[in-house]
Amino acid sequence: MIFNPTYTGRQYWTTVVIAGLLTSVLLSLTYVVFYERLYVEYSYLFSIIYLIPFVAQSVTLAFFKNKFVWSEFSYGQAFLMSFITGIIGAIIFSGVIYILYAYLGMESRMELYENGKMMRELFSPVATAISMLIINVILSLFYSLIIAIFARKKD
């Protein structure tokens, strides 16, 4: 007997939520380690933080497609999964950034720049968290558009 099992809505959304949580944990840990241990004035190593969502979204779709999808998996479904994973990761990561700067005493590196009022506002915990959220959402959108092309599966 030949049959084509396919995924359920519960499997789809559980994978999205778990992948988003894991993405945010990986982003947060990488950010703290790089910031505390490897920070220099002009560090290109911080670029890895912007590639983590791409890798996480790719691995999520590859895992889901190979584990649960045995029939058609459309571009829209792949895009939505990848984009929501990136959004969840970005929101939680931004919250962690805000908590680190506002409540846990992580200092901004303003000593590298002028200590003017405008610079203090630009490096405030709220501004830093919002900028990281916006950057990660925009990157997730572009990553999702690209990843979904390769993740779709037709019968």
Side-chain angles (χ1 to χ4, degrees):
M1 180 169 88
I2 297 175
F3 62 95
N4 289 330
T6 188
Y7 62 93
T8 64
R10 185 177 195 171
Q11 292 168 329
Y12 183 88
W13 290 107
T14 302
T15 304
V16 168
V17 170
I18 291 172
L21 292 172
L22 291 175
T23 301
S24 66
V25 168
L26 187 59
L27 275 169
S28 300
L29 289 175
T30 306
Y31 185 85
V32 169
V33 168
F34 283 0
Y35 194 85
E36 292 294 326
R37 302 287 179 219
L38 302 172
Y39 193 88
V40 294
E41 189 172 351
Y42 298 105
S43 176
Y44 297 104
L45 199 56
F46 264 82
S47 301
I48 292 172
I49 291 172
Y50 302 114
L51 295 176
I52 289 174
F54 179 74
V55 172
Q57 290 169 346
S58 300
V59 169
T60 300
L61 277 169
F63 169 79
F64 186 78
K65 190 172 117 178
N66 292 327
K67 182 82 173 166
F68 297 116
V69 179
W70 290 25
S71 64
E72 189 172 315
F73 191 55
S74 71
Y75 177 84
Q77 293 164 327
F79 171 78
L80 184 65
M81 175 177 263
S82 181
F83 188 58
I84 297 295
T85 299
I87 295 267
I88 291 171
I91 290 170
I92 295 172
F93 177 59
S94 296
V96 168
I97 292 295
Y98 176 75
I99 290 169
L100 286 172
Y101 282 114
Y103 300 112
L104 297 180
M106 184 178 269
E107 297 175 1
S108 64
R109 304 292 183 168
M110 286 194 324
E111 67 269 4
L112 298 176
Y113 307 100
E114 300 172 5
N115 285 330
K117 181 183 178 195
M118 183 177 166
M119 292 307 286
R120 280 194 293 277
E121 290 173 4
L122 290 175
F123 283 99
S124 72
V126 173
T128 304
I130 289 173
S131 68
M132 290 304 274
L133 176 67
I134 291 169
I135 289 168
N136 282 317
V137 166
I138 291 170
L139 285 175
S140 291
L141 175 66
F142 289 123
Y143 293 158
S144 299
L145 290 169
I146 295 167
I147 293 168
I149 292 170
F150 299 102
R152 67 182 173 189
K153 185 175 185 178
K154 293 185 178 182
D155 263 345

